[in-house]
Amino acid sequence: GVAWAICLMGWVIVSRMPDVYESNARVYMNADEALTPLLRGLAVESDVDARLERMQRTLLSSTNMKKLIRMTDLDSRVKDTADREAMVARLQKAIVIKLQTRNLFTVTYSDTDPQLAQSVVSNVLSLFMESSAGDSRTDIDSAQRFLQTEIDRLETQLREAERKKSEFQTRYYDLLPNADNGG
């Protein structure tokens, strides 16, 4: 009888619990960029873990969470600035970004509304793609600046070497073998 009473109370409690829907997405981030093999040994390579950590901080920043609130129509639930800040803090805690492998991570969000859970994850991915495109563009610009600096430095070294060669040939012209003196 006691077991049945406990079982019935458990069923009542469980039936009153709201359904929670979880949405997640697995994202592949190419950490081995196209220019990495070309720049190996020439430039400092970016640390994958640091880059992912920076990406997580960027995605969950207050600015991006405010964008996310607008993108998912959560702003209809916000009455004032304090509510908005509370919503930002709640989203920062509720959105989970976990690294699974070197280049693969999962974005997860749970809510009682299945469409909202899916919308939040989808929009976080949109923010990720915007941020990644900006990072890629920045990386390419940085690589181009580095390569141009290297080209300029090597060109200066080449001109200096040619100047020294010319001075040497002028100074020791009579000792060098050439077509005029049969050497």
Side-chain angles (χ1 to χ4, degrees), residues 25-33 46-56 58-59 97-107 125 128-129 131-133 135-136 139:
R26 291 171 49 176
V27 180
Y28 177 80
M29 184 173 105
N30 187 5
D32 303 321
E33 301 187 23
S46 63
D47 181 24
V48 176
D49 293 333
R51 190 162 182 211
L52 286 173
E53 184 179 327
R54 186 182 75 217
M55 184 61 67
Q56 185 172 357
T58 302
L59 283 175
I97 301 174
K98 288 185 181 176
L99 183 65
Q100 289 188 328
T101 65
R102 181 172 180 249
N103 295 335
L104 187 69
F105 64 96
T106 305
V107 177
L125 294 179
F128 169 78
M129 287 189 277
S131 176
S132 292
D135 281 353
S136 295
D139 291 345

Side-chain angles (χ1 to χ4, degrees), residues 1-15:
V2 173
W4 276 103
I6 292 173
C7 192
L8 286 173
M9 277 195 332
W11 285 337
V12 169
I13 291 171
V14 168
S15 69

Side-chain angles (χ1 to χ4, degrees), residues 34-47:
L35 290 178
T36 300
L38 297 174
L39 298 177
R40 191 172 314 279
L42 296 175
V44 177
E45 295 180 26
S46 63
D47 181 24

Side-chain angles (χ1 to χ4, degrees), residues 19 27-28 35 42 50 60 68 75 91 102 142-143 149 153 156 181:
D19 292 333
V27 180
Y28 177 80
L35 290 178
L42 296 175
L60 299 178
L68 184 64
D75 51 357
L91 284 172
R102 181 172 180 249
S142 175
T149 302
R153 184 181 64 78
T156 302
N181 61 11

Side-chain angles (χ1 to χ4, degrees), residues 66-82:
K66 288 176 184 174
K67 282 183 193 176
L68 184 64
I69 288 170
R70 284 189 303 274
M71 293 166 79
T72 56
D73 292 330
L74 283 172
D75 51 357
S76 63
R77 299 181 185 180
V78 175
K79 296 177 181 129
D80 58 10
T81 307

Side-chain angles (χ1 to χ4, degrees), residues 157-174:
Q157 287 178 348
L158 180 61
R159 284 187 182 142
E160 180 64 22
E162 287 175 350
R163 185 188 60 77
K164 287 181 181 179
K165 176 185 171 193
S166 177
E167 286 177 6
F168 181 83
Q169 286 175 336
T170 303
R171 183 177 297 155
Y172 299 106
Y173 178 74
D174 55 337

